[in-house]
Amino acid sequence: MRLCLCIAALLCAAAPAAWSREARWESWRGLPVVAVAIEAGEVFDTTRPEENHWPFRWVNALHIRTREGVIRRELLCSQGSAFDPLLVAESERNLRALGIFQDVRIEAEAVEGGVRLLVHTEDRWSMRVLADVAKEGDIYRVRLGLENINFLGRGSVFGGNVVASNDVDALQLFAGERRLFGSRWNAAYGYGSDDLVVANEATLVRPYFSELVHWTADLRFRSIHGDRRFFFDGALADTLDLDESIAEGFGAGHAHGEVRTRLGLLYSRRDVSRVLDAHQAAVGLCWGAMQRRFRQVRNVDRYGTSEDIASGWSVQAGAGADLRALGADDDRPLWRLDATYARFLGDRGLLGLQFRHHSFYDAGEIENGRIELDLYGFQQWPPRQSLAWNLGAAALLREPEYLRFAIGGDNQVRGYPARFDTGTRLCYAHLEHRVFTPVRFLFLGFGAAVFVDAAQAWEIDEPFRLAGTHLGGGAGLRIGNPKSGASVFRLDFAFGRDSFEVSVASGSFFRAARSFEFPEPSLYR
């Protein structure tokens, strides 16, 4: 048997170079992995003439390179295991999802006795100075802080910032530990306070990190104490004094096959007190199924970085009840439905659709419900252009009055003041032509966008009127820095119907290059 494996490996090694990676890897399926080598790269590759300069060498000297153990713990195939192309591809995606690498490549080669893996990574600069001035509508904000997304090269996240604004001043602190104590669990904690509220949030999650995972879990708690502002037609209508706490738990078992499925138990509890008094305690069962296929793209949402997108479909159905025995105000049935569909548009495009609905029922009427529909996608043209789009609608179904949609500023439609319009119903559409230029200054890349936005928010007792739609458009500058992060800086000049606004912010205005997991089971996220 050993002789047969050696002969197969040597024959594969001698195969024509034109033979695709997928075909070669599939032919090696089942061969033993005889070695796994790690090649952890620095932020700047000084073997490249354009990066072999003293400022870049200083950055490398100050940066703590990602530890080899952090890379190995994400690998789903180790020395002595059977070679599986699916697990190798998933290992690449797991490493990219950490956000601490510019590039990740896993190469496989046939050697005597089996297959050898070479894992190559390029680090990102992990210490970020959070210093920016932002303007979103008529709200000005100055932020100062520090964040480390790869503390001591261990993949941990720590940071904090203070915000001074003509709206509310704020303080934020956060910490996260991936793969807690060497396990597959991720833990995080965040604290925030501003002129209105004090908030705390803690999470403990065992994610869906592989198609072959047997079980997942998600535990979360968050509390908000303080004032909630209620806006109407762009003006402050009321301030509510609220204490709100939400505890959620979800655990699921997974089955494998051509279609992956899961069955899980959901628990959610929300308590609101002081001016309003409401208690919900819901349990339910959720069943989900998913089939997907991955592809890598660049220059769609995050400048100069590689993103994993997926085609395929997913569906989730759940049922349960709010129960007085657990602390709810009433016994009420619960229903939820989620669905996602996406398909590739040739080699350089994606079209996707997401639907979500959950509701409680009391005496046959919907309560505390939400329904959302979102269509998204993009089409690329070589070498550096993309057309991205996003349109959808959402509705709040008999939710508390302080929960409302708001548009304006940097929310749904550019070119209008912040919170220009509010309502319990929302529809929106965005179209952006993005150009990613080859212009570079040091490690910064530059691009531009031309965009059109449309949005409308209205009340349940009001009819939808096409004349009530707010239309905005304009152009903007994009600056990306893949050496230090996957975000993008935006400077937008936008015109509304009777207004002009300048927006300075980070992150894409809307996401077009998306992947998907099993639908989110939470009722309150």
Side-chain angles (χ1 to χ4, degrees), residues 43-64:
V43 178
F44 292 97
D45 184 356
T46 54
T47 64
R48 301 170 183 167
E50 65 273 18
E51 296 185 8
N52 187 20
H53 301 289
W54 66 264
F56 302 149
R57 291 194 293 269
W58 279 17
V59 169
N60 284 347
L62 293 172
H63 173 73
I64 299 177

Side-chain angles (χ1 to χ4, degrees), residues 280 320-322 324 329-335 359-369 397-398:
Q280 298 168 3
D322 222 7
R324 290 182 181 177
D329 291 333
D330 298 293
D331 292 325
R332 307 178 298 171
L334 159 70
W335 164 257
S359 294
F360 292 89
Y361 293 87
D362 186 17
E365 293 188 352
I366 290 177
E367 286 189 332
N368 300 119
L397 310 174
R398 294 186 67 185

